[in-house]
Amino acid sequence: NWITSKFTYRAKYNQATSKSATAGVQMYQTKANPVDIDLIINFLSGSEANTTGIAQSIQAQLISEGILKKQTEKTPAMQLDFMGADTRPGLFWNSLSVFTHVNYIRSQLREAGLKNVLPSLEGFGSAGYSSSDTNPFPINDALGSPSDYKNLAQSYPNFTLGLSYFGKNKPDNIKDSNLLQSITGGNVQALAAKSYPELTARDVKYIKELGVKQVNVAGLGQDLSSDYSADPTNRSQAIDLQEKALANLAQAGISIDGEQSNLYAWKYLKSISYLPNNDSFFIYETRAVPFIQTVLKGYLPYYSQAANQVSDGRDWLLTNLMNGAMPSYELSEATSQAFEKTSLAYVYNTNYANLKTEILKDYKIYEAIAEATAGAEIVSRYNLTEDGKLTKTAYSNGTVILVNLSGNDYKSGSLSLDKYSYQLVKGEGK
């Protein structure tokens, strides 16, 4: 087999010839991309020539480059993403549908004794989620006052504000046309990559005024787009611009949680959220295995997608334990009726009161896992059955987690594991 890398010097794009999104001719960019690339090839053999060995090799390289740094704090046992508000269109004027108040988050977490969690709030701008992209500030007083945010941030230093830099179709709150780029033949405008540093520099002031020390940055480190306007931006330049935007936040002392962030963003992050459990992020594997999780474990904490938005919560919990991932929940104090006719009408099962029992049960499980694996790396992972339903994951501190995802009890020698269950064996000192 022959495996090699491909470097694009000039990208091909569709040059529109009419207002139709599909009409146009294929063109190559006039100015070649700047290429300054080092290619590292590692050969592994023996016990290292497997998925874990490849992941550890990549991990070692990223450590040597200063991209990954050893985790020194215990990972919060779960991420609780509270949904703020959104605009509901009306016949003559729009109204605001409030899903969660800031004080509700603080009071409920304290009452439940949930200390080791990462609470976050999205949709807190003047129009709720409809103003999340590009212009979430100033905050909407309907959710809480600035002092309410400060009190929550003091009680929970990990409290995170959810920001989005995807850009919407026709983002009306961006007045400077230089911050926009046209796509699909000019019919749609979205945020240009050149806008990101300016937007994060602007947002720092508001974040610090609220006493908040951490943000989630959806879009940054996640999506790249080229801009073939009169002032073009290619993907390499877009990476540089996104790094500048992230650096604005980091240099201001604001911790960053990245949403499904890519490698170029990792050195700026404190954690990664919504990392899918069903994808290896490694194209040479035919079965989903925790490849990227093995690279990150012990260095950059990661959270899986929302547990209350999946069809099989039991399978999800066990897969998290197999992958070394902490869970997340999408929550509100509202019932599903509050989401009707908003941009979040598809959301269901977010009411915290209804989910509280399940959350508290999961918290005890993941708190024990977070304690047992704090700062530890994944050193090996084995499938104990051919179907991959029974796994054994070992950590650098001696901790072992056994997971049985099958519908059958397992017994072999001294090892016995009930169906749909797990077993935590703590290492020395744990």
Side-chain angles (χ1 to χ4, degrees), residues 35-55:
V35 178
D36 182 14
I37 297 172
D38 291 328
L39 186 61
I40 299 172
I41 301 176
N42 293 326
F43 294 93
L44 304 176
S45 61
S47 61
E48 295 181 346
N50 53 41
T51 303
T52 302
I54 297 172

Side-chain angles (χ1 to χ4, degrees), residues 127-390:
Y129 274 86
S130 298
S131 61
S132 292
D133 287 325
T134 72
N135 195 23
F137 298 105
I139 60 172
N140 193 317
D141 290 340
L143 277 70
S145 66
S147 61
D148 294 331
Y149 284 81
K150 291 178 181 177
N151 290 335
L152 179 55
Q154 287 175 356
S155 299
Y156 290 86
N158 284 329
F159 170 58
T160 300
L161 285 179
L163 306 178
S164 176
Y165 297 97
F166 282 113
K168 292 191 167 193
N169 297 346
K170 301 178 182 178
D172 297 330
N173 45 26
I174 295 296
K175 306 302 181 184
D176 186 350
S177 60
N178 291 325
L179 300 183
L180 301 174
Q181 70 179 67
S182 297
I183 56 178
T184 62
N187 296 325
V188 176
Q189 285 190 313
L191 277 179
K194 64 177 73 75
S195 71
Y196 295 142
E198 180 175 327
L199 293 174
T200 55
R202 177 204 64 188
D203 291 344
V204 164
K205 170 179 174 287
Y206 293 103
I207 296 166
K208 295 181 83 68
E209 284 178 351
L210 294 174
V212 175
K213 299 178 181 178
Q214 183 160 313
V215 295
N216 171 278
V217 287
L220 290 182
Q222 186 177 2
D223 282 358
L224 290 175
S225 60
S226 300
D227 179 3
Y228 297 102
S229 63
D231 182 18
T233 302
N234 60 40
R235 279 172 169 76
S236 296
Q237 293 168 325
I239 289 177
D240 293 338
L241 289 164
Q242 291 205 21
E243 288 198 39
K244 289 180 181 178
L246 292 167
N248 285 340
L249 297 168
Q251 290 168 4
I254 298 170
S255 298
I256 305 170
D257 172 62
E259 189 167 310
Q260 298 183 2
S261 300
N262 288 292
L263 175 62
Y264 58 88
W266 289 2
K267 62 184 176 182
Y268 301 99
L269 303 184
K270 185 177 181 181
S271 58
I272 296 180
S273 62
Y274 288 82
L275 196 62
N277 268 336
N278 55 356
D279 194 321
S280 300
F281 287 87
F282 188 57
I283 62 174
Y284 305 115
E285 288 290 340
T286 56
R287 176 184 292 164
V289 296
F291 180 80
I292 195 171
Q293 289 89 344
T294 304
V295 174
L296 296 175
K297 191 63 178 178
Y299 293 88
L300 189 58
Y302 47 91
Y303 298 86
S304 63
Q305 292 168 297
N308 56 315
Q309 302 299 333
V310 299
S311 58
D312 189 340
R314 178 180 57 188
D315 181 88
W316 196 253
L317 181 147
L318 293 172
T319 303
N320 277 340
L321 299 180
M322 182 179 70
N323 293 353
M326 297 294 112
S328 62
Y329 280 86
E330 289 183 346
L331 302 170
S332 72
E333 63 176 298
T335 60
S336 57
Q337 287 81 1
F339 294 89
E340 292 180 0
K341 298 182 180 180
T342 70
S343 64
L344 299 174
Y346 62 90
V347 171
Y348 66 97
N349 191 31
T350 66
N351 183 264
Y352 173 79
N354 292 338
L355 294 167
K356 183 177 179 180
T357 300
E358 176 185 340
I359 290 172
L360 291 175
K361 179 181 176 182
D362 285 355
Y363 177 79
K364 292 180 180 179
I365 295 173
Y366 286 105
E367 172 71 349
I369 297 294
E371 177 69 33
T373 62
E377 305 164 27
I378 294 176
V379 295
S380 67
R381 178 186 178 278
Y382 298 103
N383 290 329
L384 301 181
T385 55
E386 289 187 3
D387 61 4
K389 295 288 188 178
L390 186 73

Side-chain angles (χ1 to χ4, degrees), residues 15-72:
Q15 177 63 57
T17 55
S18 73
K19 292 184 177 180
S20 171
T22 57
V25 295
Q26 295 295 306
M27 303 285 288
Y28 284 90
Q29 66 185 86
T30 304
K31 185 178 179 181
N33 294 325
V35 178
D36 182 14
I37 297 172
D38 291 328
L39 186 61
I40 299 172
I41 301 176
N42 293 326
F43 294 93
L44 304 176
S45 61
S47 61
E48 295 181 346
N50 53 41
T51 303
T52 302
I54 297 172
Q56 290 173 332
S57 176
I58 293 173
Q59 183 187 76
Q61 181 63 38
L62 296 178
I63 293 170
S64 68
E65 294 177 9
I67 294 175
L68 291 181
K69 294 180 175 62
K70 194 65 178 175
Q71 182 184 345
T72 58

